[in-house]
Amino acid sequence: MKKFLFSLLILFSALAVDAKNIDGISYSLNSTDKKAQVKGFAEGVSKSKLVIPDKVTSGGVTYKVTSIAKEAFMGADGLKSVEIGDYVETIGSGAFYASSVKTLVLGERVKIIGGSAFHDTNIESVVFPASLQIIRKLAFRNCEKLRSVSFGGEKLTSIESFAFSWCPLLASFNMPNSVTSLGESVFEDCYGLTKVSISEKLTVIPESAFCGCPIANLTIPASVTAIGKSAFFKCATPHIYIPGSVKSIGDWAFENSTCQSVHLNEGIASIGEYAFYETTQLKAVSIPSSVTSIGTRAFMRSAVENVQLSGNVKVIPEGLFYESNLKSLEIPQGVTEIGEWAFRMNPNLTDVTIAGSVKTIGKEAFDHCNIDRLLLGEGIEVIGNGAFYGLEVENLTLPKSVKSIGQYAFNNNLFNEVRPQNSVPCQLDEEGFSSWAYSDSRLVVPDGSLEAYRTAPGWRQFANIETVSGMSGIEDVVEALAVEPDDESVYYDMSGARTCDPESGKMYIKVDKTSKKRRVVVRRHHAR
């Protein structure tokens, strides 16, 4: 019985669908629902102008033309103009792929434009009807003459991957606010796309969505929660505002952009690798406290002169501002590690303060900077290989907490004085300092530790080792300070080392800036 019913179903289907050639066009006719599908040109027929009617009649029966089949007119070289009837709802995948279509008029009921439907055609402009709901992947890819796109309504919800990629003459795109989904690389390599409005219902800007588009006035709506990899590569917006609704900024998201400033709002949690790599006009950036993760080389080769870092980013990643333009830098309390090459080759970086929460300063972290003022907080334990290679300070104070100093850490520089604060010498690589420093710099060590430093590996290479005990009093300590105060008041411990975080109950020298003459007050400092 089942076999019999199945045979009847096949027979009924065969009777319900009929193929007909009408006015040079091949159709599939469904006598059950009275609908027709365009299959392509009839055999041997070629036209430069194709008009798909609303209805066709065959055998006295009228059919509504509701769809165009997959690959129906693919590769039609002579086809220049297409007008699609008002009952067509679906244009199949590859329907006009690689044809010569130049002008296109879409009917008022088109809902779905299939994948690669107009891929690699000569279309110059498109007006989408109010009925449009979905543009499938690759639909208009590589339409090298496409200059304008407009929408008649706001029913469109999805534009899929690569839909308008490689349309170099497309200058603007006014996305309907009904769009909730974009596919990756949807506008990739639209080199002329300077003006874009993004739907206020869109939540994710996907990978490479606008990669290579020189967007001149980018507005990211508050609906967006994530920006994908390379999403705005080569963006040309001068001032970028990223709302706090965005939780993650993907790898390479704004790489090679010409932005001059980036406003990162509270709420952003992560910034990906190379996110602002080679933003050669980006002068300033502030990392909000909500950011807990930054990827390697995120601002490498930027033009950033000033940066405010967040203490909630525990690890400053590898190469964060490598080859940038920083002038001063404060590593805030909360950061525990500075990664390799993090601030390497910032030739204008002269002033650096590092909080005591930092335990490790990585390999070549400040290599080839011109730092002439360095404050290392109490708590730093490891100073890596080449960390401060080429340091320009005259007097170097090393916190008591330092446990090891790596190869070339302070190489290529001659100091007036090097002042370790620990009476027990830390581990020092034999080449931790330059030969100039070993021969000509004064190593001033805590009272009672002279012999320990004279025999310790690395330290014993200093030719001039002495203690602070030779100082007659507080005035001598003050005179040894080579730095004028740059805040209202600054604190130094009794060895002359400046501190940014004086501890309650200890003796300090306080230097006030407000007086014409420098006043020295010795007091027990109480926690602020």
Side-chain angles (χ1 to χ4, degrees), residues 277-300:
Y277 177 76
E278 287 195 338
T279 46
T280 55
Q281 296 182 39
L282 179 59
K283 296 272 179 90
V285 67
S286 177
I287 309 298
S289 60
S290 56
V291 172
T292 57
S293 172
I294 304 178
T296 60
R297 310 193 184 204
F299 294 90
M300 179 177 172

Side-chain angles (χ1 to χ4, degrees), residues 12-53:
F12 177 78
S13 299
L15 292 173
V17 178
D18 189 17
K20 290 288 183 181
N21 295 332
I22 303 171
D23 295 329
I25 301 174
S26 176
Y27 296 91
S28 287
L29 306 177
N30 191 316
S31 58
T32 302
D33 56 15
K34 303 298 189 294
K35 291 182 179 180
Q37 182 182 62
V38 177
K39 302 295 288 183
F41 286 126
E43 187 175 351
V45 174
S46 177
K47 295 183 178 183
S48 63
K49 182 177 181 179
L50 172 65
V51 178
I52 296 176

Side-chain angles (χ1 to χ4, degrees), residues 88-108:
V88 171
E89 295 182 353
T90 303
I91 300 173
S93 60
F96 296 91
Y97 175 75
S99 68
S100 300
V101 176
K102 184 176 181 180
T103 61
L104 172 65
V105 178
L106 295 171
E108 63 183 23

Side-chain angles (χ1 to χ4, degrees), residues 1-9:
M1 185 64 179
K2 288 183 179 179
K3 290 183 178 180
F4 175 72
L5 291 174
F6 183 69
S7 300
L8 284 179
L9 180 61

Side-chain angles (χ1 to χ4, degrees), residues 328-394:
S328 64
L329 178 66
E330 180 176 351
I331 306 297
Q333 194 72 20
V335 176
T336 60
E337 181 179 345
I338 300 174
E340 297 181 356
W341 312 307
F343 303 96
R344 188 176 188 267
M345 297 187 72
N346 275 257
N348 295 319
L349 183 56
T350 59
D351 190 340
V352 173
T353 300
I354 301 176
S357 61
V358 173
K359 302 304 178 188
T360 303
I361 301 173
K363 174 183 176 182
E364 299 177 17
F366 294 91
D367 177 28
H368 280 83
C369 298
N370 292 312
I371 302 169
D372 58 21
R373 181 182 176 278
L374 174 65
L375 178 58
L376 299 174
E378 183 64 44
I380 295 170
E381 297 179 354
V382 178
I383 299 175
N385 294 348
F388 293 97
Y389 186 95
L391 190 66
E392 295 289 337
V393 300
E394 293 184 1

Side-chain angles (χ1 to χ4, degrees), residues 190-204:
C190 290
Y191 298 128
L193 190 59
T194 60
K195 185 177 180 181
V196 169
S197 68
I198 298 175
S199 168
E200 294 178 359
K201 292 183 180 179
L202 192 67
T203 56
V204 176

Side-chain angles (χ1 to χ4, degrees), residues 431-447:
E431 295 180 297
F433 290 85
S434 67
S435 58
W436 309 333
Y438 286 131
S439 62
D440 297 329
S441 297
R442 293 172 62 221
L443 178 63
V444 182
V445 301
D447 192 18

Side-chain angles (χ1 to χ4, degrees), residues 169-233:
L169 299 183
L170 185 61
S172 65
F173 194 92
N174 187 20
M175 191 183 302
N177 278 325
S178 54
V179 173
T180 58
S181 173
L182 286 182
E184 67 178 67
S185 303
V186 62
F187 295 97
E188 185 175 9
D189 293 334
C190 290
Y191 298 128
L193 190 59
T194 60
K195 185 177 180 181
V196 169
S197 68
I198 298 175
S199 168
E200 294 178 359
K201 292 183 180 179
L202 192 67
T203 56
V204 176
I205 298 175
E207 180 176 342
S208 300
F210 298 94
C211 179
C213 303
I215 301 171
N217 189 18
L218 174 65
T219 299
I220 299 172
S223 58
V224 174
T225 60
I227 298 174
K229 293 180 180 180
S230 301
F232 295 102
F233 175 82

